[in-house]
Amino acid sequence: MVLGIKPAKSRLVWCFVFFGLMLPLLMLSYDIYTQQLGADPAKEIVKYLGTWAIISLWLSLWVTPLRRRLSLAWLVRFRRMFGLYAFFYSVLHLLAFATFIVGWRFEILLEEFSERPYIIVGAAAVLLLIPLAVTSTKKMQRRLKKRWLQLHKLVYLISILVMVHVIWMVRASYEDAIIYGGFLAVALFERIYFSYKKSKPLKKV
Amino acid sequence: SIKAAQRNSNFSSNEKLTPYPDVILHNNFYEFGLGKQDPSRKAQQFKTDPWAIEIEGEAEKVGKFALENLIKPHKFEERIYRLRCVEAWSMVIPWLGIPLADLLKQFKPTSKAKYVEFTTLYDPQQMPGQKALFSSLDWPYVEGLRIDEAMNPLSFLATGVYGQALPPQNGAPLRLVVPWKYGFKSIKSIVKIRFTETMPRSTWNLTAPKEYGFFANVNPEVDHPRWTQASERRLPSSLFSPNRIETLPFNGYAEEVAHLYAGMDLRKWF
């Protein structure tokens, strides 16, 4: 029982969140199946998967601030799921890019990776998510102890890489960069503020 | 007059046409939104009649003219052109319209007319994209050509596509088509044409001068700073065949237009 939520109810909430984040993939599959993605389905799919990778990652970063500020302790239960969804959607995003846009043609893949800087930072972010996903189990958490926490701080670097990826793609509008950047900034500044507050009284002693 | 249009085979590609639904559902027309399907969804109420065009600057005949009077005297033709977007996708489209030179000559540009500047309608009520909060573009959209580029027989003004009137999302009632340049040069829904002595600044050039030059000639050897221009994806592309083809210098129209740039460093004048 977590914070007054009964097991049966909390399981229901878990299912709700789990399917809530699976829904975008189902909707995308439906659009692909019914051919509603227009003349350039590849680009639509890649963008859609990328968007949900970012939303999932940002959700994982919002867990701690919301827990602290709004006393929503039960949210912690979903942090791993959010992180794994971020990994799941970002891998699909990368695979969709390599398959539907590049067609696994090695020379084009190489050219795209070397000439489009936003693809390099994006790919780096996905690579860095791998160790986090692999060590996301409770067992690994217990085994790595303190090092687990250090390792998972990589998520901050990853989120910055993702932001660079988004900003580097800006063309006709700053909309994406401002919205994603705003939500990330709040999640990060809350942490900085919190650790600043925490460290202050210690100095007086 | 559109119905009487004959295909001009001298200026037509014989490549496979991009199907009509793709031509009218996949558009970059940021005045109607950022998504490729936004223009087709949001432009349907766009009013193209009555439509007037202002002629300004270095010409003997200037003023405001009703569109139908401007285009009526000219012979309509169909031309099948490749369209290469700067985003590295391309289409093959049968346009209907008149050569740009035919229209421009009727205003008798003077010897001072070294450039031609085109402006798109500014009407935020009809064009929601012009109200967008975080747009990086300044409205109205402006584009330009050097006078010899404008007078080149390939430069075309389209009022129709696929044998029908141009849908609003494709730039109705009148749009430019400059097939050897990236698509953003082919300005849509034109309301003003101005002859100038100095090089006009274009919208994309003002937004990102390092990425979009005045000329914007299709050139596989000069990459966009953020992506390669060596190849393109010919649309429609299906999921398991990206339909990637090599990009040709001047989008395959080098024979017709390369001489316009003789002696110019195309890396500098990109």
Side-chain angles (χ1 to χ4, degrees):
Chain A
M1 203 165 97
V2 186
L3 215 87
I5 300 176
K6 290 191 180 84
K9 201 175 167 189
S10 82
R11 209 173 298 134
L12 200 73
V13 175
W14 191 92
C15 287
F16 184 75
V17 177
F18 180 82
F19 285 109
L21 277 171
M22 192 54 92
L23 201 60
L25 185 67
L26 297 176
M27 284 164 65
L28 179 68
S29 312
Y30 178 78
D31 282 351
I32 296 171
Y33 183 70
T34 54
Q35 303 193 341
Q36 287 183 58
L37 295 173
D40 196 358
K43 226 171 192 171
E44 298 294 325
I45 292 168
V46 171
K47 175 150 195 221
Y48 189 88
L49 293 169
T51 300
W52 282 96
I54 295 175
I55 292 172
S56 307
L57 190 66
W58 270 213
L59 280 173
S60 77
L61 287 165
W62 266 75
V63 165
T64 296
L66 285 178
R67 188 191 57 176
R68 274 203 289 251
R69 302 292 150 189
L70 302 177
S71 313
L72 300 174
W74 53 272
L75 262 178
V76 179
R77 287 186 62 220
F78 299 104
R79 191 165 58 188
R80 176 188 298 131
M81 193 205 293
F82 292 153
L84 285 174
Y85 262 119
F87 179 64
F88 175 64
Y89 277 116
S90 64
V91 168
L92 288 182
H93 170 68
L94 192 65
L95 285 177
F97 168 74
T99 310
F100 303 141
I101 291 191
V102 178
W104 289 107
R105 277 174 57 185
F106 189 70
E107 74 282 5
I108 292 171
L109 202 63
L110 208 68
E111 199 176 2
E112 295 275 23
F113 273 94
S114 59
E115 290 200 30
R116 299 196 188 204
Y118 62 84
I119 291 176
I120 302 171
V121 290
V126 179
L127 279 180
L128 288 174
L129 274 174
I130 295 173
L132 304 200
V134 170
T135 60
S136 67
T137 59
K138 273 199 179 114
K139 216 169 155 188
M140 287 301 269
Q141 197 170 358
R142 254 179 261 127
R143 193 188 296 171
L144 293 171
K145 289 181 190 119
K146 235 182 175 170
R147 293 214 318 274
W148 188 90
L149 217 63
Q150 287 168 337
L151 178 67
H152 281 251
K153 283 197 168 132
L154 264 181
V155 73
Y156 301 126
L157 173 64
I158 293 167
S159 68
I160 299 294
L161 289 174
V162 169
M163 230 18 252
V164 173
H165 179 68
V166 170
I167 291 167
W168 247 333
M169 279 188 296
V170 166
R171 265 176 33 85
S173 171
Y174 302 108
E175 199 177 286
D176 284 355
I178 286 171
I179 293 171
Y180 294 141
F183 278 101
L184 178 63
V186 173
L188 296 186
F189 279 121
E190 193 277 341
R191 286 172 169 83
I192 295 168
Y193 180 72
F194 181 78
S195 58
Y196 167 75
K197 274 274 186 170
K198 209 169 65 176
S199 65
K200 224 177 170 183
L202 287 174
K203 276 179 194 164
K204 282 180 191 162
V205 175
Chain B
S1 51
I2 278 182
K3 295 243 158 62
Q6 294 261 313
R7 179 170 302 169
N8 186 330
S9 49
N10 292 333
F11 294 108
S12 282
S13 157
N14 49 20
E15 286 152 287
K16 189 169 174 263
L17 296 180
T18 301
Y20 183 64
D22 295 324
V23 172
I24 63 159
L25 291 173
H26 188 91
N27 308 100
N28 277 338
F29 197 172
Y30 294 133
E31 282 84 341
F32 292 104
L34 299 167
K36 300 286 188 246
Q37 297 192 24
D38 283 344
S40 60
R41 290 188 190 121
K42 296 181 184 170
Q44 294 316 311
Q45 304 302 318
F46 186 61
K47 268 189 75 181
T48 57
D49 189 32
W51 193 270
I53 294 182
E54 277 184 278
I55 308 296
E56 291 181 3
E58 313 291 348
E60 284 175 29
K61 195 175 152 195
V62 291
K64 201 167 183 175
F65 304 91
L67 175 65
E68 59 266 30
N69 296 339
L70 283 185
I71 56 174
K72 215 187 287 169
H74 302 284
K75 201 174 159 245
F76 274 72
E77 46 184 270
E78 184 181 62
R79 294 188 180 190
I80 299 170
Y81 278 161
R82 289 178 287 276
L83 173 87
R84 169 63 156 81
C85 179
V86 74
E87 297 167 346
W89 53 265
S90 62
M91 292 183 177
V92 181
I93 303 174
W95 301 107
L96 286 163
I98 60 173
L100 174 63
D102 288 6
L103 183 105
L104 295 184
K105 278 175 194 160
Q106 73 188 85
F107 309 114
K108 300 196 168 73
T110 69
S111 59
K112 279 187 177 171
K114 304 271 198 310
Y115 297 90
V116 195
E117 182 193 82
F118 302 87
T119 307
T120 296
L121 178 70
Y122 178 73
D123 184 354
Q125 288 307 315
Q126 289 202 80
M127 297 173 142
Q130 291 174 336
K131 282 189 288 194
L133 217 49
F134 303 121
S135 172
S136 66
L137 304 174
D138 277 331
W139 310 110
Y141 195 85
V142 178
E143 257 306 339
L145 294 172
R146 217 169 53 191
I147 194 80
D148 59 340
E149 296 179 318
M151 295 299 181
N152 185 278
L154 270 183
S155 294
F156 199 64
L157 282 170
T159 58
V161 66
Y162 260 100
Q164 298 176 49
L166 210 55
Q169 62 268 33
N170 294 77
L174 186 75
R175 67 166 290 166
L176 190 64
V177 184
V178 199
W180 72 94
K181 292 175 181 284
Y182 293 118
F184 67 87
K185 294 294 287 184
S186 293
I187 185 168
K188 294 168 174 149
S189 306
I190 298 167
V191 291
K192 187 156 72 180
I193 298 175
R194 192 163 69 96
F195 296 95
T196 69
E197 202 172 3
T198 51
M199 184 185 278
R201 294 290 301 269
S202 56
T203 297
W204 278 105
N205 180 244
L206 284 163
T207 299
K210 286 181 185 155
E211 301 192 345
Y212 309 99
F214 173 79
F215 288 97
N217 292 320
V218 175
N219 190 341
E221 280 166 28
V222 177
D223 285 334
H224 185 281
R226 290 183 276 163
W227 59 84
T228 170
Q229 295 290 23
S231 63
E232 65 203 50
R233 287 177 310 121
R234 177 62 53 85
L235 300 185
S237 72
S238 74
L239 281 184
F240 290 94
S241 117
N243 219 4
R244 212 175 253 279
I245 56 174
E246 303 270 291
T247 290
L248 299 170
F250 300 105
N251 201 22
Y253 299 98
E255 214 173 288
E256 291 89 345
V257 298
H259 67 272
L260 297 172
Y261 312 99
M264 280 172 72
D265 179 358
L266 295 180
R267 286 190 179 278
K268 189 180 167 210
W269 300 104
F270 59 90

